[in-house]
């Protein structure tokens, strides 16, 4: 009788178990790395979205801060959001335009709810933007000159309602600065 060399069922099961253990050990790290890259890409896209909307708005309404359209939020917001690919635009205390629930500070403590504040918008790519005439402050990494020329600030959630809704991870501030446009601000909220 001719003998065939082959793996036994026990050998195959052992190999599959080893592969399963290795996958179980590496999969969480790979998923965490992929999520961090996705959030970093979201931050870059949010900055690009804001910058492009400001640039397009400047074409029709003059340089940032030089006309009334930039200094009056009620006039600014409709013109600005018209330059974005939006799914919902809100003014005042409306629901559904910004991430619902409580935002987290860098240390993980509850910070604030933004869903019904000022002006909000959801974009077709799932990001949430909120605008306030509140000026950026030095504690947010913005220069004194930019603070003096500030026209308001954006809070951006780069992944919408998905977690973690925490500053420095998926929540970021951007300042709207006269004659400069969009300036990234550090999210140093430690509350």
């Amino acid at each position: 009788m001719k003998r065939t060399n082959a793996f036994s069922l026990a050998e195959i099961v052992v190999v599959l178990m080893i592969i399963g253990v290795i996958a179980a050990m590496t999969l969480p790290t790979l998923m965490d790395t992929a999520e961090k890259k996705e959030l970093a890409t979201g931050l870059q896209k949010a900055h690009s979205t804001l910058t492009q909307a400001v640039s397009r708005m400047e074409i029709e309404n003059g340089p940032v801060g030089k006309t009334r359209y930039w200094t009056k939020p009620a006039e600014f917001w409709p013109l600005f959001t018209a330059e974005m690919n939006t799914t919902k635009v809100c003014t005042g205390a409306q629901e559904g335009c910004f991430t619902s629930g409580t935002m987290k500070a860098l240390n993980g403590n509850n910070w604030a709810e933004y869903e019904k504040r000022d002006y909000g918008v959801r974009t077709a790519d799932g990001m949430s933007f909120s605008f306030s005439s509140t000026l950026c402050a030095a504690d947010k990494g913005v220069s004194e000159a930019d603070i003096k020329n500030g026209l308001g600030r954006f809070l951006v959630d780069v992944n919408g309602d998905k977690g973690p809704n925490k500053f420095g991870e998926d929540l970021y501030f951007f300042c709207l600065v006269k004659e400069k446009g969009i300036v990234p601000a550090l999210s140093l909220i430690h509350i």
Side-chain angles (χ1 to χ4, degrees), residues 91-96 98-99 113-119 130:
T91 56
Q94 292 176 290
E95 292 182 0
F98 197 77
T99 306
E113 289 190 23
Y114 257 75
E115 183 180 22
K116 295 182 181 179
R117 290 192 181 188
D118 301 327
Y119 302 91
S130 175

Side-chain angles (χ1 to χ4, degrees), residues 70-125:
W70 297 97
T71 58
K72 298 179 188 287
E75 292 184 32
F76 165 75
W77 194 242
L79 296 171
F80 182 76
T81 55
E83 303 299 339
M84 301 173 78
N85 186 8
T86 63
T87 58
K88 186 167 185 178
V89 178
C90 298
T91 56
Q94 292 176 290
E95 292 182 0
C97 278
F98 197 77
T99 306
S100 60
T102 303
M103 308 294 131
K104 303 280 185 188
L106 284 174
N107 61 10
N109 291 341
N110 288 345
W111 180 62
E113 289 190 23
Y114 257 75
E115 183 180 22
K116 295 182 181 179
R117 290 192 181 188
D118 301 327
Y119 302 91
V121 66
R122 290 221 187 226
T123 57
D125 57 10

Side-chain angles (χ1 to χ4, degrees), residues 1 4 9 23 27-28 31 47 59 62 66 83 91 106 108 112 116-117 122 126 128 130 133 135-136 145 157 160 169:
M1 202 192 290
T4 308
L9 181 58
L27 199 56
M31 290 181 69
H47 184 260
I59 292 168
K66 293 289 190 173
E83 303 299 339
T91 56
L106 284 174
K116 295 182 181 179
R117 290 192 181 188
R122 290 221 187 226
S128 298
S130 175
S133 57
L135 301 180
C136 286
D157 186 342
E169 291 187 29

Side-chain angles (χ1 to χ4, degrees), residues 111-188:
W111 180 62
E113 289 190 23
Y114 257 75
E115 183 180 22
K116 295 182 181 179
R117 290 192 181 188
D118 301 327
Y119 302 91
V121 66
R122 290 221 187 226
T123 57
D125 57 10
M127 290 188 189
S128 298
F129 295 82
S130 175
F131 178 75
S132 170
S133 57
T134 304
L135 301 180
C136 286
D139 66 343
K140 301 211 176 32
V142 180
S143 72
E144 289 296 323
D146 288 346
I147 292 169
K148 288 177 186 172
N149 291 311
L151 301 169
R153 76 174 179 204
F154 291 92
L155 174 61
V156 181
D157 186 342
V158 299
N159 63 353
D161 284 325
K162 294 181 194 173
N165 297 332
K166 183 177 177 185
F167 280 93
E169 291 187 29
D170 63 340
L171 296 174
Y172 299 94
F173 279 121
F174 292 90
C175 300
L176 180 61
V177 178
K178 184 178 185 179
E179 296 182 19
K180 211 171 192 182
I182 299 297
V183 175
L186 297 176
S187 299
L188 299 177

